[in-house]
Amino acid sequence: MNLKGRHLIDPNDFTLEELDEVFKLADKMIKDRNAYSKICQGRILGTCFYEPSTRTRLSFESAMLRMGGSILGFSDAATSSVSKGESIADTIRVLGSYADVLVMRHPKEGAPKLASEFSTAPVINGGDGGHQHPTQTLTDLLTINQLKGKIEGHTVAFCGDLKFGRTVHSLISTLSRYAKSKFILISPIELKLPESLKVNLKRKYDIEIVETEDLEKHMAEIDILYMTRIQKERFFNEADYTRLKDSYILNRNKLKDAKPDMMIMHPLPRVNEIGYDVDGDPRAVYFKQAEYGIYARMALMALLLGVDVDVEGR
Ligand code: NCD
């Protein structure tokens, strides 16, 4: 098993064993972060963000800095030569020689895949349109593993924008590969999980899917409630967004039937979908989840760069 030099475009690019390797290393980093503070000395992360980001870009930067490496890149396509009309291929060809590993976020689905075909350095997809967000999935699975002790066998409810939410697409596809996953999909009719994705997952894996528009209906059976933001930027008109934006607002009252150890997750940013009164509930783990994002990305980059870390022992 060797992740050195590999790209991460879709979470399916890694086998479950390879994902496990990332989580094992991340676990060690969580337990003793200082032991890893120099492993990327002399290495450079290049960030190519063609779309807004707070957590993804900054957690990648923080992860590289915490391992002793350096960063360069752009957070706004308008400040790079993209605004002069440069193609992704040309930008990446050059950046791939300026940095040792690249992370790219782009509004167009497939852009990071295209970039990976032109880059000599590993390319990590930091989110492509409404398609995939594999490092959010690493973050989410690491959070589940750390806080629930295992990844398989949970009843996971996804709530909100399941049509455009790339974090949902990546996470449900990956969780389906683990044994005994059951999913409850909560969304307005217009924002249901794409039919093709659902059919494909059901055909390939032994999973159970229940669909509903009602947030509270199945509350008592949920182990993990994954709330998501309605993806304003993917709507074709403002009126549809305005009509759907407050479809679900989780508050303390709606949690009355929830299990005492149910976990409430959210990739963030939150807009209105979780009331501030939920933040103090011990089941709300979304800020912890954001913190685990650093460790998931540290472990991922260390393995893609092939730095000398002992995943098994130490
Ligand atoms: C998500 C994204 O960009 O898809 N944010 C993130 O990376 N944590 C979720 C979102 O924007 O709703």
Side-chain angles (χ1 to χ4, degrees):
M1 197 151 33
N2 194 354
L3 290 174
K4 184 176 177 188
R6 297 259 295 272
H7 305 291
L8 176 59
I9 306 301
D10 181 307
N12 284 311
D13 291 344
F14 288 7
T15 63
L16 293 189
E17 291 71 30
E18 287 165 345
L19 290 174
D20 196 45
E21 192 174 5
V22 177
F23 303 138
K24 273 194 188 139
L25 180 57
D27 180 59
K28 291 171 164 238
M29 291 170 154
I30 290 169
K31 290 186 174 128
D32 186 8
R33 195 176 73 201
N34 286 339
Y36 299 90
S37 63
K38 296 192 175 71
I39 58 169
C40 284
Q41 260 175 4
R43 310 295 183 116
I44 300 175
L45 162 70
T47 56
C48 318
F49 278 70
Y50 294 78
E51 203 186 50
S53 166
T54 307
R55 260 151 300 265
T56 302
R57 183 172 59 84
L58 294 180
S59 65
F60 263 106
E61 294 187 358
S62 172
M64 183 49 94
L65 295 170
R66 286 200 187 286
M67 295 189 292
S70 311
I71 52 172
L72 55 78
F74 56 88
S75 57
D76 177 2
T79 63
S80 75
S81 283
V82 175
S83 63
K84 301 179 188 167
E86 188 175 47
S87 69
I88 289 177
D90 285 4
T91 305
I92 294 300
R93 252 192 195 142
V94 175
L95 285 188
S97 68
Y98 291 177
D100 302 299
V101 56
L102 298 174
V103 54
M104 175 192 261
R105 170 170 287 191
H106 202 285
K108 286 215 179 78
E109 303 191 352
K113 169 91 186 126
L114 177 77
S116 72
E117 281 156 22
F118 291 92
S119 171
T120 45
V123 174
I124 303 169
N125 178 1
D128 60 330
H131 191 215
Q132 298 281 355
H133 195 344
T135 64
Q136 184 63 47
T137 295
L138 293 182
T139 301
D140 299 340
L141 295 180
L142 177 66
T143 305
I144 295 172
N145 207 18
Q146 290 286 321
L147 302 181
K148 287 257 178 216
K150 63 180 174 95
I151 297 176
E152 70 279 2
H154 302 299
T155 296
V156 184
F158 289 94
C159 175
D161 189 343
L162 313 189
K163 179 180 181 188
F164 296 118
R166 56 194 174 196
T167 63
V168 173
H169 302 159
S170 285
L171 183 56
I172 194 168
S173 309
T174 312
L175 273 173
S176 295
R177 296 159 65 200
Y178 288 85
K180 291 192 275 156
S181 295
K182 177 174 173 184
F183 303 113
I184 299 170
L185 306 181
I186 309 162
S187 72
I189 300 281
E190 296 94 324
L191 299 178
K192 281 170 72 167
L193 191 77
E195 197 60 23
S196 57
L197 176 57
K198 198 177 71 193
V199 169
N200 196 23
L201 292 178
K202 275 188 152 171
R203 191 170 45 82
K204 274 177 70 189
Y205 307 106
D206 180 21
I207 51 168
E208 205 185 317
I209 294 186
V210 175
E211 291 186 283
T212 176
E213 286 176 71
D214 186 343
L215 170 57
E216 285 163 274
K217 191 170 169 197
H218 296 276
M219 193 61 88
E221 44 174 311
I222 299 172
D223 297 315
I224 297 163
L225 174 58
Y226 195 93
M227 297 296 295
T228 63
R229 173 179 73 87
I230 306 296
Q231 305 281 298
K232 183 178 186 193
E233 64 276 35
R234 316 258 177 250
F235 277 68
F236 295 110
N237 71 69
E238 183 86 25
D240 282 348
Y241 171 70
T242 307
R243 185 167 51 80
L244 294 168
K245 73 180 170 54
D246 290 331
S247 298
Y248 302 102
I249 302 178
L250 184 69
N251 56 31
R252 262 187 194 245
N253 192 36
K254 292 186 184 148
L255 288 168
K256 62 183 185 315
D257 294 331
K259 291 183 183 178
D261 63 346
M262 184 185 82
M263 246 169 55
I264 307 164
M265 299 178 71
H266 191 306
L268 303 178
R270 119 177 94 179
V271 183
N272 232 355
E273 55 281 353
I274 303 181
Y276 289 98
D277 63 339
V278 176
D279 294 358
D281 190 301
R283 291 169 289 194
V285 303
Y286 27 91
F287 293 114
K288 189 80 194 155
Q289 181 186 354
E291 190 186 324
Y292 282 136
I294 302 272
Y295 296 100
R297 291 170 175 117
M298 282 171 71
L300 172 67
M301 287 192 285
L303 292 168
L304 297 187
L305 288 168
V307 300
D308 193 15
V309 280
D310 179 4
V311 179
E312 292 302 329
R314 198 189 178 77

